[in-house]
Structures are given as C-alpha cells and as structure tokens.
Amino acid sequence: MPPPLTRRAIFAQAWPIMIGQASVPLVAIVDTAVIGQTGDAIALAGVALGSIVITFLFWTFGFLRMGMTGLTAQAEGAGDKGEVDAMLVRGVAAGFVIGAALFALQAVLTPLALALFAGGGALDEAARGYITARFFGAPAALGYFALVGWLFGLGATRRALALQVVMNLINAGLDILFVWHFDMGARGVGLGTAIAEWSALVLGIALCWGLLAPNIADRLKRPARLFAREAMGRLFSVNFDIMVRTIALLMLFAWFTNAGARLGPVQLGANLVLDQFILVAAYVLDAFAFTAESRVGMAIGRGSRAELLRAARLTGEFSLAAGIVFAAAILIAGNPVIDLLTSNEAVREAAYPYIWLVALIPLLGMPAWLLDGIFIGATRGAALRNAAILATACYIATDLLLRPWGATGLWAAMLASYLFRAAFLGLYLPGLLRSVPDRLAEARRAL
C-alpha cells in the first residue's frame, strides 16, 4: 500500500531524490571547476564536448531508468510482488548487456560521434580522452539506470539517495585526484566518473537485495522464467517509444552544443559553465517529476483516476515553487558563481551576458519536466515520443532563425525548446486522463 497522497507524503518521497539529484550537477560543477581552475580553455571545452557525446550514447538507453519506474510502480500498485522483483533483474541485466556492447563498439562510435560536432584538432583530442575513459563505465552506468528506476518506482527514495551520494562523492574525489595530482586533464575526469559508476552498481545491488522477496535466490536459478520472451518483449516494446523520445531530446542538446562549438572554444566553455545552473535546477525539480512518475504509475496500477489527478496537482505545486526559487537565485548569484567555476577571464566575459536567459529556464522549463514525469509514470511512450520529435524540430528551426544573433539567439532558442516540449505534451493530457478508468470509484459505487 503506497503512503497517502498528501503534501507531507509527497515531500517525504521527494526530498531524498532532491538531495541525490542535486549532488549530480554538483559533481558536474566540481568537474567544471577542477578543469576550469587549471585555466585550460581547451580542456574545459573538451569535457563539454565529451560529456554531450557520452550523454547522447548512454541516454539513448535512458528508458532503462524511465521505463523501469513506470512499469515497477504499476506492478506495485497492482500488488504483483513477483513482477516487481522480476523487473529489477531484467532491467539490470539488460543494462549490463547493452553497456558491454557500447564498450565493445567504442572504436567505431567515438570517431563517428566526434565527426558530428564542429570541434577538431586539440579540442577533439581532449574530448576523445574523456570519452574513452567513460566507456569503461558503460555497463555499470546502464545497469545503474535500471536499478535507480526500480527504486524510484517503489518510492524507495532514501536508498536511491544513499547510492547517488556515494557515487558522486567518489566521482568528485577521483576527479580532483586525477586532474590536479596526476595531471590527467579531461581523461582524468572521465576515468573518475567510470570508477564511481562501477562502485555505485555494486553497492546498489547490495542495497536492493533486502527489498526483494525471500525466494529471489531460488528464482534466479530459473532464468528461463525471469527472462521469458513475453516478459522481455514487454520491457522493450513499452520502452521503444521512450528510447526514440530520448534520442530526439539528445539530438536537441547535441545541436545546442554543436551550435556553441561553432562560436569557438571560449563560447563553448562559457556555455558549459552556464549549463551548470540549468543542471542544478533541472535535477532538483526532477525530484518532483520522479515522484510524479511513481505516484502516477501506482495510481494507474490501482485504477484510480482521482489519485492520478491529485498526484499531478501536488507535485505541480512543489515544482512551481521550486522553479520560482531557482529563477531568483540564478539572477542574484549568477555572476559570482561563474567566477567560482572558472578563472579564465575570456570565458567569464562570454558567460555574464546570458545569465538572465538561463534564469528563466527553471521557471519556464518546469511544466515540461513535470509532464515528462506524468507521462513516464503512465508509460505513455507514444505521447512522449511525438512531443519530443516535434519539440526538437521546432527548436532547430528556431535556432536557425535566431542564428544571426549569435549566443543570444542560441540561448533564446534553448529557452523556447522547453516551451515547445510542454505545449506538445499538454495536448496529450486530456486523452491520458480519459484513458484511465477509475476502478476504485466504480467499486465503491457497486457496494
């Protein structure tokens, strides 16, 4: 039985995610600061370029996190404990296999990915070192996606918090060691992250074991049932649309990075610094989106349209409040934080003029992030897919239209992309509500 749908319960579920998610961009900030304080603009831009390549490759399979949350929450809401346990085994195994395939194919994927960006020369070399190191963590990273999605689906957010904090502390510590002590540059940042991912996967399996049914060891001896064709087919068929959605959004962010690279390494480095503000806001606001995923999934599993609506309203209230707070904080503290992140004066000067546009993103991007959570929890992949494709197409058209305005047009188009995402998902919301039969209300009327 899930906890009651009250503001207190929603916040109790969300705050561990909030802290854990906040630590993710904080590590990215450490990465940026560690490289930025060396004063090497090429290394800083190399991490930016390498990060978007790895994000594109790894988050192509982000359905292992997102789809797992919705499917697990629905199974939990329906009271199917056996399916809940099986979802974890299937998801982690699928992530490990896909990650191993990425590792094996890196010799082909790396040059192909770098060819898509306007880098070249020393910038490509720095990015290549980062990317090569990150591939060592690919199996662990994708397995970890599935594991965290499973925990979110159950609402076991404190365990997810413990995992996230441990991984990020290891990551930050190793980055400092490899870059400042061993002078490994961008490659050191990537290697620290890869080692942290392996550490988190091992710890995560240990933490999740206590949530599984006592007979899970016996069931693991019969893999034919856990990995039955029908069960695996459902896992991938449900999530195929989510994968297409993720690829579309990754193309959007890759286009943004490529557009920044065309403006030169200094502007690309400035964009990386400004991205840290968006990452912090997005990851913290995602705490309420992830809570919406779990609560909406459980509501659908229980057949309660009323619970779905209440979950959406309560998580929406928290999301709006957080968006306002972050917008104000970025406006007030933006320039001093930029100074902390990089000592390169040219990068600082390139970043200062756009802080006001960045400050608008938490406020105007909040509806898109929340609606993502609602539709992921409902496992409505087609709506997510179509909205992402349309939003990406509109964003690219907007960026091309605003290209004569340089970096101002670049950031204005990115801001518009969040409005496009929210608008297109919003068109599907009435249909989602109509599709959920309120079985609990029908049962009460029958009594």
Side-chain angles (χ1 to χ4, degrees):
M1 175 72 67
L5 265 171
T6 63
R7 290 180 181 85
R8 183 186 297 272
I10 290 293
F11 188 74
Q13 185 173 342
W15 76 256
I17 307 176
M18 191 183 306
I19 296 174
Q21 288 293 100
S23 68
V24 176
L26 287 177
V27 170
I29 289 172
V30 171
D31 292 348
T32 303
V34 167
I35 292 291
Q37 290 301 320
T38 66
D40 188 343
I42 294 296
L44 184 63
V47 171
L49 186 55
S51 295
I52 197 66
V53 169
I54 285 296
T55 299
F56 189 96
L57 291 173
F58 285 14
W59 273 101
T60 294
F61 307 98
F63 67 83
L64 290 165
R65 206 289 299 160
M66 293 175 282
M68 282 287 290
T69 299
L71 290 170
T72 301
Q74 289 179 26
E76 177 73 4
D80 190 347
K81 176 62 175 172
E83 181 61 15
V84 169
D85 292 353
M87 283 300 305
L88 175 64
V89 178
R90 293 176 197 137
V92 173
F96 195 89
V97 170
I98 295 170
L102 289 177
F103 176 79
L105 293 171
Q106 63 178 294
V108 175
L109 294 174
T110 301
L112 182 62
L114 289 175
L116 297 176
F117 296 91
L123 179 56
D124 271 8
E125 189 61 30
R128 189 183 303 275
Y130 175 88
I131 293 167
T132 300
R134 286 295 307 273
F135 268 119
F136 285 107
L142 270 61
Y144 180 78
F145 285 174
L147 189 148
V148 170
W150 187 81
L151 287 173
F152 285 166
L154 292 180
T157 54
R158 296 190 184 189
R159 294 182 188 236
L161 168 62
L163 279 179
Q164 196 72 64
V165 170
V166 169
M167 182 175 75
N168 293 338
L169 287 174
I170 293 172
N171 189 2
L174 290 177
D175 286 351
I176 293 171
L177 176 67
F178 292 152
V179 175
W180 285 356
H181 183 71
F182 292 111
D183 195 26
M184 295 176 65
R187 181 179 179 85
V189 174
L191 184 59
T193 303
I195 294 173
E197 287 165 341
W198 279 108
S199 302
L201 180 63
V202 172
L203 177 60
I205 291 172
L207 284 178
C208 289
W209 193 261
L211 295 175
L212 299 173
N215 66 341
I216 187 63
D218 293 334
R219 294 169 66 198
L220 288 173
K221 296 175 183 177
R222 301 190 297 273
R225 297 184 62 183
L226 282 172
F227 300 103
R229 179 179 298 179
E230 181 179 351
M232 294 301 293
R234 179 170 182 262
L235 175 65
F236 284 99
S237 64
V238 166
N239 289 294
F240 178 77
D241 287 332
I242 297 178
M243 181 173 71
V244 175
R245 168 258 184 200
T246 303
I247 293 172
L249 292 182
L250 289 172
M251 289 178 64
L252 187 156
F253 293 117
W255 182 280
F256 174 78
T257 300
N258 193 40
R262 292 180 185 276
L263 297 176
V266 170
Q267 187 61 53
L268 182 60
N271 289 350
L272 175 63
V273 171
L274 292 169
D275 279 342
Q276 307 316 307
F277 294 96
I278 301 171
L279 285 173
V280 172
Y283 276 110
V284 173
L285 265 67
D286 269 349
F288 303 112
F290 292 170
T291 301
E293 291 177 25
S294 172
R295 291 310 192 122
V296 167
M298 288 183 183
I300 290 175
R302 287 164 55 80
S304 175
R305 186 187 304 152
E307 286 186 12
L308 189 159
L309 287 168
R310 184 165 175 78
R313 181 170 65 83
L314 293 181
T315 52
E317 290 175 1
F318 281 111
S319 294
L320 178 60
I324 293 171
V325 169
F326 269 104
I330 292 171
L331 278 175
I332 294 168
N335 287 0
V337 173
I338 289 171
D339 292 343
L340 289 174
L341 293 179
T342 179
S343 62
N344 187 294
E345 194 61 34
V347 172
R348 287 177 175 178
E349 293 297 327
Y352 291 150
Y354 308 108
I355 198 69
W356 69 276
L357 282 168
V358 173
L360 289 173
I361 289 178
L363 187 58
L364 300 184
M366 175 277 296
W369 296 326
L370 181 63
L371 285 168
D372 271 351
I374 292 171
F375 280 88
I376 288 169
T379 60
R380 295 304 194 268
L384 289 160
R385 176 200 65 205
N386 294 342
I389 291 172
L390 290 170
T392 298
C394 289
Y395 159 73
I396 291 173
T398 303
D399 179 74
L400 291 173
L401 182 66
L402 298 179
R403 188 155 286 185
W405 283 269
T408 300
L410 183 80
W411 280 102
M414 174 54 68
L415 180 63
S417 73
Y418 291 99
L419 301 178
F420 295 143
R421 285 169 60 185
F424 290 125
L425 276 175
L427 295 176
Y428 287 95
L429 193 56
L432 168 62
L433 297 176
R434 288 193 301 269
S435 72
V436 180
D438 202 338
R439 290 195 293 269
L440 292 181
E442 293 168 0
R444 284 194 293 268
R445 286 195 296 270
L447 292 176

